Amino acid sequence: MPEAGSGGEPGDPADILLVEDNPGDVRLTREAFTEGGISNTLHVVTDGVEAMAFLEQRGEYADAPRPDVVLLDLNLPRKNGDEVLAEMRADEDLQYLPVIVLTSSEAEEDIVESYELQANAYLTKPVDPEQFIETVRTFKSFWLSVVRLPPGGRD
C-alpha cells in the first residue's frame, strides 16, 4: 500500500488541505490551528480546480504531499465543492480520503447533497469569529486526535 501522509495514528501530525476562497476564513482557520497548538501542516488552495491539481499532484503541485484530510468549502470559484467531492469519490486513489465540508451554507439540500457524495462530515461555519475558531478546534480534537485516518499517498 502507498505510504501514508503523516497522520495514520490518532494524535500524529497530519497534512490538511483547506479548500477555501475566503481569505478571512483562511486566516481564522490558521489562527485556530495556531491557538490550539495544532502541529499539523495546513495547505491552502482557493478553488476547486486547484484542489484537484493538489490532490492529483499535477502541475505546480507535483511535489505536494497527500493530505490526510480535506476541509472543503462548497462555494468555490471555477469548480464548486460538490464537483470536487464527486471527482474525488470517482477517483480510485482519492475515494477514501476523509472530506469534511466546512461551509457557510445551512441549506438542507447542500447537507443532503454532501452526504450523498460521501462527505465524512458537514460543518457549518459560524459567522462569529470566536465560534468559527471553536468549530476548527472541535474538528481538530475529533478528526486529528481521536479518529484513525486511513493510509494514503501515492507511489
Side-chain angles (χ1 to χ4, degrees):
M1 182 156 240
E3 183 179 320
S6 53
E9 295 289 330
D12 283 354
D15 280 297
I16 301 160
L17 177 60
L18 174 63
V19 186
E20 174 60 66
D21 65 321
N22 181 320
D25 288 349
V26 170
R27 182 184 52 75
L28 283 174
T29 303
R30 286 189 191 281
E31 185 178 318
F33 274 62
T34 300
E35 285 183 13
I38 300 172
S39 60
N40 304 294
T41 303
L42 185 66
H43 307 275
V44 179
V45 295
T46 58
D47 66 49
V49 172
E50 277 187 81
M52 291 310 300
F54 187 101
L55 292 166
E56 295 171 344
Q57 298 172 312
R58 289 185 281 112
E60 69 181 282
Y61 301 108
D63 295 325
R66 169 70 179 266
D68 297 292
V69 65
V70 176
L71 289 172
L72 179 65
D73 189 16
L74 291 181
N75 303 309
L76 298 167
R78 298 201 300 164
K79 183 178 290 193
N80 70 38
D82 287 340
E83 293 169 316
V84 170
L85 193 49
E87 276 189 50
M88 289 179 67
R89 295 313 186 222
D91 185 317
E92 187 177 293
D93 292 330
L94 302 173
Q95 66 184 347
Y96 298 116
L97 184 62
V99 177
I100 314 309
V101 172
L102 181 62
T103 187
S104 56
S105 174
E106 294 182 15
E108 188 173 319
E109 60 268 17
D110 287 340
I111 297 168
V112 170
E113 179 71 12
S114 292
Y115 282 115
E116 285 178 349
L117 291 169
Q118 301 174 0
N120 297 89
Y122 190 101
L123 301 174
T124 303
K125 296 179 203 171
V127 175
D128 177 69
E130 286 303 315
Q131 290 177 340
F132 183 87
I133 289 170
E134 188 55 36
T135 297
V136 173
R137 284 187 187 137
T138 301
F139 153 79
K140 182 267 179 194
S141 68
F142 181 71
W143 283 97
L144 302 178
S145 299
V146 176
V147 170
R148 181 154 183 181
L149 298 172
R154 298 226 194 267
D155 290 326

